[in-house]
Amino acid sequence: MKRWIAYWNIMLKDMRTYYLKPPNISWGLIFPVAWTGMFFVKSGRGLESILSLLPGVMAISILFGTTSMLSVTVTFEKKNRSFERLLLAPIPLELLMLAKTSGAILFGTINAFVPVFIGLFLADLSQVQWLTVIPAVVMIAIASTFLGLFIAVSVSEVFEAQTFSNFFRFPMIFLCGLFFPVVSLPVFLKPISFMLPLTYGVDILHGAVQGDNMLPLWVDFLLITLYCVVLFFISLRNIYRKWII
Amino acid sequence: MEKKTLTDPIGDGKPFISVERLTKTFGKVVAVDDIAFDVHQGELFGFLGPNGAGKTTTINMLIGLARPDSGTIHIAGSECTRNPKAAQQLIGVVPDESNLYPELSGFDNLCFCASLYGILKSERQHRASELIKTFGLEEAASRKFGTYSKGMKRKLTIAAGIIHRPPILFLDEPTTGIDVASARQIRQLIDDLHHAGTTIFLTTHYIEEAERLCERIAFIVNGKIIAIDSVHNLLQPIQDKKVMIISVSNSAKELHQKLAVKFPHLTFQALSDTQIRVESDQAISVGSLLRFIEDHGAEVTEARRIRPSLEEVFVRLTGIELNIMKKEKEKDKGRNSL
Ligand SMILES: Nc1ncnc2c1ncn2[C@@H]1O[C@H](COP(=O)(O)OP(=O)(O)OP(=O)(O)O)[C@@H](O)[C@H]1O
Ligand SMILES: [Mg+2]
């Protein structure tokens, strides 16, 4: 019980102090809208292209809404030493890191539905399989958050965390099948694509929205879950090794 | 190193904090070098040493923020070397630098810290208001912590350290870098906590502070504990010494040599051109001394007895001049006089 009070309040504090700030909220709105607009214009087709763009835009919204958050909630707090307070709290490190990430996961999940909400007015979303979309969105949010966590615990400066996360994020837009199918990528880029967790999350979304997934959905789910677990435990190990000196 | 614990002031036999053969190195620097000590329940234990002596490193190992290279730590019966989480519910920590959240208000910071220990909301708020009042921070309670002055920050950091009423409190240089009045207030609070039964581990480089507050003190220099005992016992060897400082109008340096010839049973030392220190195992007859000085053409402006202090003990044991402690100079790594 006591642990959950701590868990809840850590998450709540991060939400209040970092996530629910006007810049983050507007970023969460503007970014997906801008990307949708860009690809919409580029596709040159009518409103029917919305459905094929939706999975990519949702993934981008999640990716940008989560990864950079960890550079504040973790790297910044490590830098100003307030993170030490959390390390001193009588809760297991696993639970602490879940508390530090669940705010970002929630924020990313909500972000994903901003383009969906816009899409509702522009296209017919009746064929979308929501029961697959929702878990896929949550898994993408978890995977991108843990990627952000991995970056945040690997560096010591906030700017490094941000630079490093862009180093991952921008190539992922093009490599993970967000807007261009992975199968159409040059042969030498394909292996990289299959090494990135987002590829599997986006594949599920494509399947759920338009039924054009390249791998069976259970394989996608399995692989992205595996990525989450591995990223989380590598991050924990890095904290043990680097922060408890 | 052998434990030098002499007595158990509480009498229940079991130490609350027990440290054996603790060592920590950073690269080539041996920050903490094979130290051992016990702290008993309800005791106020002081860790006194110059900059870089290894005080913070020791605290960090005790609270679980640093991993010892070797040695064992037991806190309230739990083995904490391998499982640093074991005792964390019982301990409160006040670090050397304030580490609260700059963007939260003072009040919210306290409530947040309380929540980390699983305290329910109504109690958190009650306790936070209570501490804000105790520390006289009512005016600033709703202001962001980032806007606080240094002294206010320190006070709130102490409040955050005790918000969950920990039976064991670690204080890392609680009065360094703040003004005299705030420092006095903080010392009073530490004293109150001690009398309320909290076991306190305090580091400081102020000798007077250690002497005034602590029951037992460990002197730590270059990562090694040089002496560890009750203040009373540490003072014992110099307890019977009689010491006087005589201030003269001029030429103390010449005078002290003449004095040494005339009064061979006393020890004289010229502290400056106007101050002479006199030390003896027996009572000093002041009258004859003053007459002698005045007969040699100097005027005595002041003569006062001084109480034997821990400062002297520290200087005798460590060979470290007091100005090094006071001026917070970086320690001289090569020097290891004991
Ligand atoms: N993270 C670290 N990396 C390398 N060396 C360190 C580290 N932390 C401490 N040291 C070294 O260990 C020694 C002891 O440092 P420590 O901070 O424990 O001293 P201290 O007694 O707390 O000093 P102060 O009074 O200045 O706070 C110093 O020589 C310091 O340079
Ligand atoms: Mg220190």
Side-chain angles (χ1 to χ4, degrees), chain A residues 245, chain B residues 26-27 29-32 49-58 96 172-173 203 205 220 330-331 333:
Chain A
I245 43 172
Chain B
F26 295 105
V29 180
V30 185
V32 170
N51 287 134
K55 304 183 293 293
T56 302
T57 307
T58 304
D96 51 352
D172 197 357
E173 309 213 13
T203 76
H205 60 246
I220 178 167
E330 253 305 298
K331 74 168 177 185
K333 290 258 163 58

Side-chain angles (χ1 to χ4, degrees), chain A residues 87-88 244, chain B residues 59-67 80 84 88 91:
Chain A
L87 289 175
L88 290 176
I244 301 176
Chain B
I59 287 206
N60 281 346
M61 288 192 281
L62 291 172
I63 62 180
L65 286 182
R67 205 174 280 120
C80 298
Q88 283 185 341
I91 65 175

Side-chain angles (χ1 to χ4, degrees), chain A residues 97-109:
Chain A
M97 293 324 289
L98 281 180
K100 289 304 277 180
T101 48
S102 36
I105 293 170
L106 200 65
F107 187 74
T109 306

Side-chain angles (χ1 to χ4, degrees), chain A residues 64-113:
Chain A
F64 280 78
T66 52
T67 38
S68 51
M69 289 300 174
L70 278 301
S71 64
V72 200
T73 59
V74 177
T75 317
F76 173 69
E77 289 196 357
K78 170 73 171 83
K79 184 88 186 148
N80 77 10
R81 294 186 55 185
S82 51
F83 205 87
E84 282 175 10
R85 231 162 238 295
L86 304 175
L87 289 175
L88 290 176
I91 52 172
L93 188 63
E94 292 81 5
L95 189 67
L96 167 64
M97 293 324 289
L98 281 180
K100 289 304 277 180
T101 48
S102 36
I105 293 170
L106 200 65
F107 187 74
T109 306
I110 294 167
N111 253 9
F113 288 97

Side-chain angles (χ1 to χ4, degrees), chain A residues 85, chain B residues 92-94 100 109-110 113-114 117 131 135 155-164:
Chain A
R85 231 162 238 295
Chain B
V93 179
V94 180
L100 290 161
N109 261 302
L110 293 185
C113 290
Y117 294 85
L131 284 171
F135 284 83
K155 285 179 197 168
L156 200 79
T157 312
I158 297 177
I162 59 175
I163 189 121
H164 56 297

Side-chain angles (χ1 to χ4, degrees), chain A residues 3 8 21 25 50 75 77 80 86 91-92 99 120 183 205-206 215 220 224 227 242:
Chain A
R3 290 174 176 189
W8 176 249
K21 284 282 153 72
I25 293 178
I50 294 277
T75 317
E77 289 196 357
N80 77 10
L86 304 175
I91 52 172
L120 279 177
V183 283
L205 286 183
H206 279 300
L215 294 170
D220 284 328
I224 196 169
Y227 260 102
K242 291 175 59 181

Side-chain angles (χ1 to χ4, degrees), chain B residues 83-297:
Chain B
N83 180 18
K85 288 272 160 203
Q88 283 185 341
Q89 182 76 37
L90 301 177
I91 65 175
V93 179
V94 180
D96 51 352
E97 262 174 65
S98 301
N99 64 354
L100 290 161
Y101 297 93
E103 65 281 358
L104 291 186
S105 72
F107 184 79
D108 288 346
N109 261 302
L110 293 185
C111 289
F112 177 71
C113 290
S115 76
L116 295 178
Y117 294 85
I119 299 171
L120 290 168
K121 188 167 184 176
S122 57
E123 201 195 329
R124 290 204 289 269
Q125 293 180 337
H126 172 74
R127 183 86 179 119
S129 323
E130 191 180 84
L131 284 171
I132 290 223
K133 207 182 281 170
T134 311
F135 284 83
L137 292 168
E138 292 97 329
E139 309 262 290
S142 56
R143 243 168 60 197
K144 283 190 179 179
F145 180 70
T147 68
Y148 280 27
S149 75
K150 213 168 181 178
M152 291 159 86
K153 279 187 176 156
R154 186 66 56 83
K155 285 179 197 168
L156 200 79
T157 312
I158 297 177
I162 59 175
I163 189 121
H164 56 297
R165 303 181 200 272
I168 308 173
L169 184 63
F170 292 91
L171 291 160
D172 197 357
E173 309 213 13
T175 59
T176 302
I178 56 176
D179 71 39
V180 179
S182 299
R184 187 179 302 142
Q185 199 188 354
I186 286 173
R187 282 191 201 109
Q188 186 59 50
L189 273 154
I190 295 172
D191 210 36
D192 293 346
L193 283 169
H194 172 47
H195 284 112
T198 311
T199 305
I200 300 175
F201 183 99
L202 171 112
T203 76
T204 181
H205 60 246
Y206 296 123
I207 296 183
E208 305 84 354
E209 179 169 290
E211 185 175 358
R212 190 140 84 218
L213 286 173
C214 303
E215 285 164 328
R216 280 195 312 134
I217 292 176
F219 289 154
I220 178 167
V221 178
N222 287 341
K224 288 197 174 72
I225 292 183
I226 279 165
I228 177 166
D229 214 329
S230 65
V231 175
H232 177 80
N233 286 346
L234 284 168
L235 286 172
Q236 203 57 55
I238 59 160
Q239 199 65 274
D240 300 329
K241 289 253 182 282
K242 308 284 184 288
V243 180
M244 281 195 85
I245 303 283
I246 300 176
S247 303
V248 291
S249 52
N250 58 347
S251 48
K253 291 201 172 126
E254 293 142 43
L255 269 170
H256 99 273
Q257 281 160 358
K258 291 180 189 155
L259 282 162
V261 175
K262 172 78 181 169
F263 302 94
H265 59 290
L266 304 175
T267 317
F268 296 93
Q269 189 188 354
L271 300 174
S272 67
D273 202 41
T274 58
Q275 279 199 327
I276 300 169
R277 184 179 181 283
V278 190
E279 189 184 304
S280 166
D281 290 334
Q282 295 138 28
I284 300 171
S285 115
V286 189
S288 52
L289 270 180
L290 301 191
R291 264 195 305 278
F292 182 87
I293 292 170
E294 278 168 355
D295 289 347
H296 284 77

